[in-house]
């Protein structure tokens, strides 16, 4: 049975939990690539929280994660789709990704994302969902849904 899932706009009260999840999910990769700088990370997080469409993901009414999308005129950039470890491998991410793609499609926009080169699990997830690698930016790999050109 599929568990009820909703998203809603994040508010200031959600920010500490989202920040905690951001660090839990990404710190390892950031430390490997650049090293973790608390001040820089907090400033980056604060700016993204305000500038991007930040939504809280709830499953069965419980905080399950968050997503951030930068809605452009031609394309949307899926900046973050981060689930709490307790909600991974349950189909929540796949349902969210499909919903975000559908929203972009309805608006007549494409969608793309970057994944840390070091985050093999995230890359496998997106590939299972039909996304392909279309670019290499060094620390990041660029992916698009169902794109035809694959970069090794």
């Amino acid at each position: 049975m599929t568990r009820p899932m909703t998203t809603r706009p994040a508010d200031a009260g959600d920010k500490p939990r989202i920040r905690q999840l951001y660090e839990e999910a990404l710190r390892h990769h950031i430390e490997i690539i650049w090293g973790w700088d608390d001040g820089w990370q907090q400033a980056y997080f604060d700016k993204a929280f305000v500038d991007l469409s930040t939504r809280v993901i709830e499953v069965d009414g419980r905080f399950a994660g968050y997503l951030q999308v930068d809605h452009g005129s031609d394309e949307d950039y899926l900046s973050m789709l981060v689930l709490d470890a307790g909600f991974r491998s349950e189909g929540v991410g796949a349902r969210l990704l499909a919903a975000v793609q559908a929203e972009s499609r309805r608006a007549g926009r494409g969608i793309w994302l970057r994944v840390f080169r070091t985050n093999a699990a995230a890359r496998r997830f997106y590939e299972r969902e039909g996304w392909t690698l279309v670019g290499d930016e060094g620390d990041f790999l660029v992916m698009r849904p169902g794109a035809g050109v694959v970069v090794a």
Side-chain angles (χ1 to χ4, degrees), residues 79-119:
S79 177
M80 296 284 171
L81 192 167
V82 184
L83 293 175
D84 184 90
F87 293 94
R88 294 180 194 149
S89 300
E90 295 186 5
V92 174
R95 289 167 46 204
L96 281 165
L97 190 59
V100 169
Q101 284 178 251
E103 179 183 326
S104 294
R105 215 175 15 258
R106 279 191 303 275
R109 295 185 300 263
I111 188 167
W112 64 286
L113 61 83
R114 288 183 181 105
V115 63
F116 284 123
R117 174 178 297 285
T118 58
N119 195 342

Side-chain angles (χ1 to χ4, degrees), residues 1 4 57-58 60 63 85 105 142 151:
M1 180 174 152
I57 303 157
E58 295 177 331
D60 291 332
F63 177 89
R105 215 175 15 258
V142 179
V151 176

